[in-house]
């Protein structure tokens, strides 16, 4: 009888120890999983911060366009309205009701044609696009200049194809230190804003069959 009780006691003790061990392991696993999740979250935040810092590096005062500093505390539209060389683009954005979108959180990459780029369009083309009845066509042309996401000049590679907000693609070429988007050359790169980046280009980008 005593031997049976002793064996039962030993069995109960062993079971208790096993339960405690499993509980400890489960707790340790949860702690490890939590630590891993927190580490991954911190890494994601740090990566986003590094992207922003990289884009602004060396130019905390902003990029100069037409003698005015385009600063990263302003959004794309707030910076653009200060640059006289892209005033035609600003008017077109307003006519197409895209100002609110490009003032939003984004981020966006905008290839911004200069006023002289618009002058190169066929005679009367821009005037036609600015008519109220051509609003959707104008919007299609303008959104062909916009990429969803922040792409600084160093992100643009030779042969790369980018899908625009319009849905059509543009092709990047890099030759002799110059970056081209389709047939347009980037004149002023990396104009950093709070909601993206603008690259000033010397030609208007036209989507396939724009009929302007």
């Amino acid at each position: 009888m005593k031997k049976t009780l002793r064996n039962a006691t030993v069995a109960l003790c062993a079971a208790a120890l096993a339960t405690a061990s499993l509980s400890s392991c489960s707790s340790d696993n949860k702690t490890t999983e939590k630590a891993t999740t927190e580490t991954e979250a911190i890494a994601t935040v740090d990566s986003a911060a590094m992207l922003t810092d990289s884009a602004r590096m060396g130019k905390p005062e902003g990029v100069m366009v037409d003698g005015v500093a385009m600063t990263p505390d302003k959004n794309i539209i707030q910076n653009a309205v200060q640059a006289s060389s892209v005033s035609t683009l600003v008017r077109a954005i307003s006519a197409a009701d895209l100002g609110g979108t490009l003032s939003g959180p984004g981020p966006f990459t905008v290839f911004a044609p200069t006023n002289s780029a618009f002058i190169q369009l066929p005679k009367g083309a821009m005037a036609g696009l600015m008519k109220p009845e051509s609003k959707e066509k104008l919007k299609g042309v303008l959104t062909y200049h916009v990429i969803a996401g922040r792409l600084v000049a160093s992100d643009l590679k030779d042969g790369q194809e980018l899908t625009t907000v319009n849905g059509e693609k543009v092709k990047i070429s890099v030759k002799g230190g110059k970056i081209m988007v389709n047939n347009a050359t980037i004149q002023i790169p990396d104009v950093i804003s709070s909601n993206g980046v603008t690259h000033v280009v010397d030609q208007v980008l036209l989507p396939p069959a724009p009929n302007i």
Side-chain angles (χ1 to χ4, degrees):
M1 181 69 174
K2 289 182 179 179
K3 184 176 180 180
T4 301
L5 287 173
R6 185 165 54 251
N7 289 341
T9 301
V10 170
L12 285 172
C13 288
L17 286 171
T19 301
S21 177
L22 286 172
S23 176
S24 176
C25 287
S26 176
S27 177
D28 288 345
N29 286 338
K30 288 180 180 178
T31 302
T32 302
E33 289 172 1
K34 181 180 179 182
T36 301
T37 301
E38 290 175 349
T39 300
E40 289 173 351
I42 291 170
T44 301
V45 172
D46 287 347
S47 295
M50 285 172 66
L51 176 61
T52 302
D53 292 343
S54 174
R56 298 181 185 183
M57 190 176 295
K59 297 184 176 108
E61 73 286 357
V63 175
M64 298 298 291
V65 179
D66 304 326
V68 180
M70 307 287 106
T71 56
D73 60 311
K74 298 181 178 68
N75 65 46
I76 289 169
I77 297 299
Q78 289 172 330
N79 274 321
V81 296
Q82 299 183 87
S84 59
S85 64
V86 294
S87 59
T88 301
L89 175 63
V90 171
R91 288 198 301 273
I93 288 172
S94 177
D97 288 336
L98 290 174
T101 299
L102 293 176
S103 296
F108 304 106
T109 297
V110 177
F111 299 110
T114 60
N115 296 342
S116 60
F118 282 102
I119 292 173
Q120 295 174 43
L121 291 174
K123 187 176 180 180
M126 194 59 197
L129 285 172
M130 294 292 281
K131 292 179 179 179
E133 60 267 29
S134 300
K135 181 177 177 180
E136 288 306 310
K137 188 180 292 185
L138 175 61
K139 186 178 292 187
V141 171
L142 294 178
T143 53
Y144 189 58
H145 293 74
V146 182
I147 309 293
R150 180 194 294 262
L151 295 172
V152 295
S154 61
D155 295 320
L156 304 176
K157 309 298 181 184
D158 188 47
Q160 186 177 24
E161 288 191 336
L162 304 172
T163 301
T164 67
V165 172
N166 171 290
E168 299 288 349
K169 292 184 178 182
V170 294
K171 186 172 182 178
I172 304 298
S173 302
V174 181
K175 297 178 182 177
K178 291 184 178 180
I179 303 174
M180 298 184 69
V181 186
N182 289 353
N183 294 322
T185 300
I186 293 180
Q187 294 184 321
I188 305 175
D190 295 347
V191 180
I192 304 300
S193 297
S194 61
N195 63 338
V197 57
T198 300
H199 305 286
V200 179
V201 296
D202 64 355
Q203 288 189 36
V204 176
L205 307 177
L206 296 176
N211 295 321
I212 65 171

